Amino acid sequence: MKTESTLEKILASGQLAVTSECGPPRGALPSKVQEKAEMLRGCVDAVNVTDNQTAMVRMSSLAACILIKQMGLNPLLQMVTRDRNRLAMQSDIIGAYSHGINTMLCLSGDHPHFGDHPGAAAVHDIDSIQAVEMVKKMRDEGLFQGGQKIDGPPKMFIGAAANPFADPFELRVARLAKKVKAGVDFIQTQCIYNVDKFEKWMEGVRERGLHEKVYILAGITPMKSAGMAKYMKNKVPGMDVPDDVVKRISGVPKENQAEEGIKMCLETIDRLKNVKGVAGFHIMAIEWEHKVPEIVERAGFLPRPSF
Amino acid sequence: MITAERKPMEDLIKFVSPYRRILLVGCNECVTVCSAGGRKEVALLSSALQMHFMKEGKPFEIKEMTLERQCDPEYVEELVPYIDQVDAVLSMSCGCGVQEIARRFKEKPVLPAVNTKFMGASERQGVWAERCVGCGDCGLARTAGICPIARCSKQLLNGPCGGSTRGKCEVDPDIDCAWQLIWDRLKALGMTDKYEENLPAKDWRPARGAGPRKIVREDLAS
Amino acid sequence: MDNFEPVIVAFCCHYCAYTAADMAGSKRLHYPANVKIIRVPCTGKVSAIHMMEALRKGADGVYVAGCLEGDCHFRSGNTRATKRVAYVKKLLDEIGIGGDRVEMFTMSAGMGEVFARTASDFTEKIRRLGPNPARVAMDNPGCAAG
């Protein structure tokens, strides 16, 4: 075991892991974090805390992680390379670890262009792959990125994202291989609606034996409505929503669309449970956190193992 | 070349309003090639400013000059005979030329007429696109001759990100995804295995990380 | 201002509008004497500076008359001219002279009537707009605006 991370323990035990996320509030009210996180108690192994998602200012991921940690849950620190240079990132990482936060996710982050501060400079001192290398070096060699020794290195279980649906598709397995080479421990994927394409990607992953080097958590986001399905299909970059998904949810009366969305995501989970190399699920119920316990239960993931 | 674009007339009119006699100085290099501040643009801006102040009934004199290079002291020296006859200089060169005039003529106000944009290439007639950020440590040998720092919106050294769609950038469908271009070229070169070499975190000191940069060629320096 | 006679400069392409002007003349079609024609080998030869300087030196209106779309003797001179006229319009708006004082027209060599009508219509339009404000201020320095 590389770390004390509960997520690592569960994944290492061979059981399917379940994670979910909590988007911090756009303000200083701790109760907003606590209420969202409380819904996830007992039904997930780690709670991803997003880092200024969609390039909108929110409570810092680190602060929200500490609040969640204090509740006795396992926060997962998301960190984008967009807002901080390598100094700031490393200081936040050791700061997080000093609070017992031992699991994190390295991302490049949405471009500021999409957010509420479009005039902000995008930092991108390093990229997500270099961030993984940096965190691994901090953990395994006890050295800062600059080469100096760390007094009390942070032992982070290191995650990264993968989008099997972005272009060029032929590069998507290779990019995962780069992350594996950088030293990533686990992957959380983009929301999966095009299951066929995801399975094709997994085939490529297995061909190269990458599934034996990294735990892959399949990203799942239930559709709330036909409107959301259309929005995801047309407006969200890098999202692949096939026509029949939109058709199916549009085909039921409005009041039943939410339930249909849940059913669809449960069917996806069911299908992917049997795909070799899928080590768990990352359930991102966007502004719909209270549905996560139900999804986890109906998917047969309860109770969660404890270590 | 260094590319530039003329500032809005409203700004330029505001800049020169306090003065009666203006020396409008163009540059025969980059800004001529990108049609921002060469002889033609100097003539046009001169005409426009004169017409504006004629309308306002304000006395206004403008002298036009276009130097071979505004960023070289030898050429800036050519302004000496005229500088005392004007109240201010309006420069149509890139920021380098504006500053060279400021350095040479310490007591003369100098104003920029263009916004200096980027180092780029001409994609077709009338279209210029960014190609280089002058990072001081060229990595084009490792990225198939296409610079991800200048051309990827997130300057990813290990791209593409998850927002690359049909060869275009998520930020703007008019922007080519730099990593798609790199990948396509690696394929054409039969060098796809190079893609999986992770590029290390960049040392930004040769860029601007160690303050303003300077090149000293001892063999040439006087 | 009642007896304002606008000065109009028309840059006319040798292959179309200029010939159309001839045609108008030989057909004895009337068009205003306000229009001063400058023959150009192609409207693609007309730069922004030509239009600007015509106005600065006292014209009240300027137009460029080239070949019909797709009929340029030099392939695309007329489409270039159209874009330049658009550029000058914007510039004139920015400096407070008004982009309405320049225009692009297209016609073929045989369109004498179109030439005459265009000349009349444009002259009337400029007459309504009044004198070029830059010229007014120059002619009457005592009552300058502002």
Side-chain angles (χ1 to χ4, degrees):
Chain A
M1 215 60 67
K2 299 169 187 169
T3 71
E4 290 293 309
S5 167
T6 302
L7 182 61
E8 181 181 12
K9 288 172 190 159
I10 288 170
L11 287 165
S13 75
Q15 303 172 75
L16 288 171
V18 181
T19 58
S20 185
E21 74 173 23
C22 164
R26 283 172 59 77
L29 302 174
S31 58
K32 299 253 181 177
V33 178
Q34 289 151 346
E35 282 159 21
K36 272 190 182 180
E38 194 54 49
M39 294 175 200
L40 302 172
R41 189 185 289 278
C43 63
V44 299
D45 307 322
V47 179
N48 280 50
V49 183
T50 51
D51 183 9
N52 288 340
Q53 71 203 71
T54 63
M56 311 259 280
V57 178
R58 289 168 183 276
M59 180 189 290
S60 79
S61 176
L62 173 53
C65 277
I66 293 170
L67 288 169
I68 293 171
K69 184 77 192 173
Q70 286 165 348
M71 296 166 66
L73 298 173
N74 297 315
L76 189 160
L77 178 77
Q78 292 198 185
M79 187 174 281
V80 298
T81 63
R82 176 196 62 221
D83 302 336
R84 296 170 181 77
N85 69 5
R86 60 192 87 174
L87 273 82
M89 292 177 76
Q90 290 176 98
S91 71
D92 278 356
I93 291 164
I94 52 180
Y97 193 70
S98 77
H99 284 275
I101 295 155
N102 52 27
T103 311
M104 67 176 292
L105 193 72
C106 303
L107 305 160
S108 58
D110 295 311
H111 197 277
H113 176 78
F114 298 107
D116 63 350
H117 289 72
V123 177
H124 298 301
D125 174 25
I126 58 175
D127 65 24
S128 57
I129 285 176
Q130 294 158 352
V132 168
E133 281 171 347
M134 177 175 81
V135 185
K136 184 176 158 61
K137 183 172 173 180
M138 292 171 83
R139 179 188 70 197
D140 295 349
E141 299 173 45
L143 297 175
F144 286 115
Q145 196 270 346
Q148 297 286 310
K149 205 167 165 290
I150 305 173
D151 188 9
K155 303 283 183 189
M156 285 285 182
F157 190 50
I158 310 165
N163 183 1
F165 309 106
D167 291 326
F169 181 68
E170 55 185 338
L171 217 57
R172 288 296 143 189
V173 172
R175 185 129 197 278
L176 177 68
K178 279 170 78 93
K179 292 192 175 181
V180 169
K181 195 189 255 184
V184 76
D185 299 311
F186 71 96
I187 290 287
Q188 291 174 322
T189 77
Q190 174 70 292
C191 320
I192 301 160
Y193 297 107
N194 188 342
V195 184
D196 292 341
K197 196 165 183 182
F198 179 78
E199 286 183 340
K200 208 171 143 211
W201 177 73
M202 282 302 300
E203 230 176 87
V205 170
R206 287 193 303 270
E207 261 167 40
R208 297 199 43 180
L210 296 172
H211 65 300
E212 284 160 0
K213 297 179 181 157
V214 64
Y215 300 110
I216 295 170
L217 277 61
I220 301 288
T221 292
M223 298 283 198
K224 264 182 181 169
S225 63
M228 174 176 171
K230 285 177 197 151
Y231 179 83
M232 298 279 255
K233 179 179 176 64
N234 300 321
K235 297 277 190 250
V236 183
M239 194 71 74
D240 182 349
V241 184
D243 288 331
D244 50 341
V245 169
V246 180
K247 223 179 189 170
R248 178 166 162 193
I249 194 158
S250 307
V252 301
K254 216 170 173 82
E255 63 275 18
N256 299 341
Q257 284 177 355
E259 172 54 24
E260 191 68 15
I262 302 262
K263 263 193 215 153
M264 287 159 75
C265 97
L266 286 168
E267 286 167 24
T268 304
I269 292 174
D270 229 39
R271 187 169 153 191
L272 295 179
K273 270 181 188 173
N274 302 312
V275 171
K276 195 172 170 217
V278 171
F281 293 89
H282 179 45
I283 301 164
M284 297 162 272
I286 301 160
E287 294 304 320
W288 215 19
E289 286 83 356
H290 65 276
K291 282 285 178 187
V292 173
E294 180 190 331
I295 295 168
V296 174
E297 190 188 2
R298 285 169 70 180
F301 290 137
L302 290 185
R304 298 308 307 147
S306 55
F307 282 89
Chain B
M1 82 194 87
I2 294 173
T3 61
E5 245 181 344
R6 199 199 69 221
K7 281 180 178 281
M9 286 306 297
E10 192 190 347
D11 294 359
L12 299 180
I13 289 166
K14 223 177 270 169
F15 279 175
V16 301
S17 280
Y19 310 107
R20 195 173 69 79
R21 299 167 307 167
I22 291 290
L23 183 57
L24 180 59
V25 191
C27 175
N28 220 0
E29 295 280 356
C30 312
V31 288
T32 294
V33 185
C34 68
S35 299
R39 194 165 277 116
K40 272 187 169 180
E41 292 73 33
V42 163
L44 196 61
L45 178 57
S46 168
S47 184
L49 286 173
Q50 287 182 70
M51 222 189 299
H52 171 78
F53 289 114
M54 277 160 70
K55 172 183 160 270
E56 301 293 307
K58 177 183 179 300
F60 181 73
E61 285 167 39
I62 194 160
K63 160 119 186 104
E64 301 166 26
M65 288 275 286
T66 297
L67 303 180
E68 195 51 40
R69 252 199 308 287
Q70 244 185 79
C71 55
D72 258 341
E74 291 89 328
Y75 297 109
V76 171
E77 210 56 28
E78 291 170 15
L79 298 178
V80 168
Y82 310 99
I83 203 81
D84 287 335
Q85 300 162 28
V86 298
D87 306 318
V89 178
L90 182 60
S91 165
M92 295 200 87
S93 88
C94 71
C96 309
V98 177
Q99 293 181 64
E100 192 48 33
I101 290 175
R103 186 197 62 78
R104 175 61 185 84
F105 304 109
K106 295 198 166 39
E107 284 161 16
K108 197 62 67 180
V110 56
L111 305 153
V114 303
N115 292 319
T116 307
K117 305 286 273 198
F118 49 79
M119 281 189 273
S122 174
E123 283 191 340
R124 57 190 159 87
Q125 176 76 21
V127 179
W128 297 271
E130 184 158 21
R131 292 287 183 266
C132 177
V133 298
C135 74
D137 179 22
C138 189
L140 285 171
R142 300 177 303 180
T143 55
I146 289 153
C147 180
I149 299 172
R151 299 175 71 175
C152 166
S153 299
K154 297 180 183 174
Q155 62 180 39
L156 300 183
L157 284 172
N158 296 286
C161 77
S164 179
T165 309
R166 284 183 285 279
K168 299 295 176 184
C169 175
E170 66 175 20
V171 171
D172 183 342
D174 283 341
I175 302 171
D176 288 325
C177 168
W179 275 99
Q180 174 82 55
L181 298 177
I182 293 169
W183 176 245
D184 290 347
R185 238 179 97 70
L186 285 172
K187 272 199 294 186
L189 295 167
M191 293 164 68
T192 49
D193 51 322
K194 240 185 139 66
Y195 172 76
E196 289 192 27
E197 286 171 20
N198 283 345
L199 296 183
K202 193 168 170 66
D203 181 345
W204 294 105
R205 277 171 298 181
R208 268 224 63 192
R213 294 168 281 175
K214 194 177 264 193
I215 298 170
V216 180
R217 274 278 300 269
E218 290 299 350
D219 57 325
L220 299 174
S222 54
Chain C
M1 195 99 29
D2 287 343
N3 50 7
F4 165 57
E5 280 303 332
V7 176
I8 309 291
V9 172
F11 293 99
C12 295
C13 164
H14 164 80
Y15 290 95
C16 52
Y18 190 80
T19 312
D22 258 358
M23 179 79 78
S26 59
K27 282 190 170 173
R28 309 234 174 272
L29 296 169
H30 173 80
Y31 66 88
N34 309 55
V35 178
K36 321 287 182 212
I37 295 176
I38 296 176
R39 179 166 70 156
V40 290
C42 172
T43 51
K45 192 73 195 104
V46 182
S47 291
I49 189 68
H50 299 123
M51 301 176 232
M52 290 294 286
E53 284 293 280
L55 288 166
R56 187 175 74 81
K57 293 188 170 168
D60 298 295
V62 172
Y63 67 88
V64 180
C67 301
L68 295 170
E69 210 184 308
D71 280 354
C72 175
H73 194 75
F74 303 99
R75 297 183 104 180
S76 56
N78 53 353
T79 53
R80 284 168 192 274
T82 305
K83 288 180 186 173
R84 286 179 199 152
V85 167
Y87 179 87
V88 171
K89 275 176 171 289
K90 187 166 169 280
L91 184 57
L92 289 171
D93 280 335
E94 279 188 276
I95 60 172
I97 299 296
D100 290 350
R101 291 182 184 275
V102 294
E103 211 57 72
M104 177 79 197
F105 299 109
T106 58
M107 60 192 70
S108 75
M111 294 176 167
E113 288 87 355
V114 172
F115 180 86
R117 196 169 61 241
T118 301
S120 304
D121 291 353
F122 188 75
T123 304
E124 283 319 302
K125 177 180 153 183
I126 298 299
R127 197 189 299 282
R128 278 196 304 277
L129 284 176
N132 175 353
R135 199 177 70 153
V136 177
M138 272 241 294
D139 293 347
N140 310 291
C143 56

